[in-house]
Amino acid sequence: EVHLLESGGGLEQPGGSLRLSCAASGFTFSNYAMSWVRQAPGKGLEWVSAISGPGGSTYYADSVKGRFTISRDNSKNTLYLQMNTLRAEDTAVYYCAKMAGHPLNTYYMDVWGKGTTVTVSS
Amino acid sequence: QSALTQPPSVSGAPGQRVTISCTGSSSNIGASYDVHWYQQLPGTAPKLLIYGNNNRPSGVPDRFSASKSGTSASLAITGLQAEDEADYYCQSFDSGLSGSGWVFGGGTKLTVL
């Protein structure tokens, strides 16, 4: 069974940093692009970042470009999101999602984790 | 402001048919990029409902269907059931002037009366 489990969320002050992790199982991790999607309290879904299967290509939403870095360790079947210079508006549940489809502009998220909560507040 | 526009809410009685629209532009749906739909039950993670404009993953009832035309798409739910009460999101790819990436609609809350 395909499974994604996020961790690393918590309370952080504005300007601080957090690193989220997503442990994957049940599929050949390195074969699939992965994404982070977030949902602010009471709001809709917002795509944050994506990375290709081998890890050589990365993509970011304008709202996080230059502050967040996505990466993956295919030997550990784990996806990461390094979040720096955090702002109050980064407060959200962060979901890890497996991407499917081809080519890139047809990608969709076919498996989602349960999410990890990030709160940015002083 | 989402790149894809959905009505904030729709409602219907059990057994009825409801539709949820998703309006985009020439940089996303109108550029012939696929549209996908997700269902988010209260307090849970989103779940893929429709992919590639009108394909249902295994396990999704055929009461759910979708279509796409021009710069818009729509999700239809027939034989409405209480368990369908959820938030629904459309998603596509956008290649606008500020860069490319994946985009979601603002979401539509479905209430089963």
Side-chain angles (χ1 to χ4, degrees), chain A residues 27-33 52-54 72 74 98-99 107:
Chain A
F27 64 103
T28 305
F29 183 66
S30 60
N31 285 356
Y32 293 91
S52 62
R72 62 193 297 161
N74 287 343
K98 171 180 168 288
M99 301 184 86
Y107 280 1

Side-chain angles (χ1 to χ4, degrees), chain B residues 74-94:
Chain B
S74 66
L75 173 71
I77 309 172
T78 59
L80 206 56
Q81 298 181 4
E83 67 206 49
D84 298 333
E85 189 158 288
D87 293 325
Y88 293 84
Y89 296 89
C90 59
Q91 175 249 310
S92 187
F93 185 82
D94 190 279

Side-chain angles (χ1 to χ4, degrees), chain B residues 7 9-11 17-21 37 74-77 108 110:
Chain B
S9 63
V10 298
S11 63
R17 177 181 187 270
V18 296
T19 61
I20 297 172
S21 62
W37 292 88
S74 66
L75 173 71
I77 309 172
T108 298
L110 169 63

Side-chain angles (χ1 to χ4, degrees), chain A:
Chain A
E1 181 190 357
V2 177
H3 190 62
L4 300 171
L5 181 63
E6 303 92 338
S7 60
L11 173 64
E12 184 55 65
Q13 293 187 340
S17 298
L18 277 175
R19 187 173 89 151
L20 306 184
S21 299
C22 171
S25 60
F27 64 103
T28 305
F29 183 66
S30 60
N31 285 356
Y32 293 91
M34 299 291 294
S35 254
W36 289 98
V37 176
R38 69 184 180 184
Q39 186 169 35
K43 303 296 185 182
L45 302 174
E46 179 189 15
W47 170 75
V48 172
S49 183
I51 186 169
S52 62
S57 298
T58 56
Y59 312 88
Y60 298 94
D62 286 346
S63 57
V64 306
K65 203 171 292 183
R67 300 188 299 122
F68 290 11
T69 302
I70 191 171
S71 62
R72 62 193 297 161
D73 185 336
N74 287 343
S75 68
K76 295 182 178 179
N77 289 349
T78 303
L79 175 72
Y80 303 100
L81 185 67
Q82 178 66 44
M83 305 187 297
N84 297 332
T85 319
L86 283 164
R87 305 168 179 166
E89 53 264 37
D90 296 320
T91 295
V93 175
Y94 284 73
Y95 295 102
C96 161
K98 171 180 168 288
M99 301 184 86
H102 183 80
L104 176 150
N105 57 30
T106 70
Y107 280 1
Y108 54 93
M109 292 81 175
D110 66 339
V111 181
W112 297 66
K114 293 188 187 309
T116 186
T117 300
V118 171
T119 303
V120 183
S121 174
S122 54

Side-chain angles (χ1 to χ4, degrees), chain B residues 8-92:
Chain B
S9 63
V10 298
S11 63
Q16 285 190 331
R17 177 181 187 270
V18 296
T19 61
I20 297 172
S21 62
C22 174
T23 303
S25 67
S26 59
S27 65
N28 42 66
I29 298 176
S32 297
Y33 296 137
D34 285 353
V35 178
H36 321 287
W37 292 88
Y38 303 86
Q39 178 192 59
Q40 186 175 32
L41 296 170
T44 70
K47 166 194 162 187
L48 179 66
L49 194 65
I50 298 283
Y51 67 94
N53 302 317
N54 57 7
N55 300 289
R56 282 176 287 105
S58 173
V60 173
D62 59 7
R63 302 186 296 103
F64 295 89
S65 63
S67 62
K68 186 185 94 165
S69 178
T71 58
S72 295
S74 66
L75 173 71
I77 309 172
T78 59
L80 206 56
Q81 298 181 4
E83 67 206 49
D84 298 333
E85 189 158 288
D87 293 325
Y88 293 84
Y89 296 89
C90 59
Q91 175 249 310
S92 187

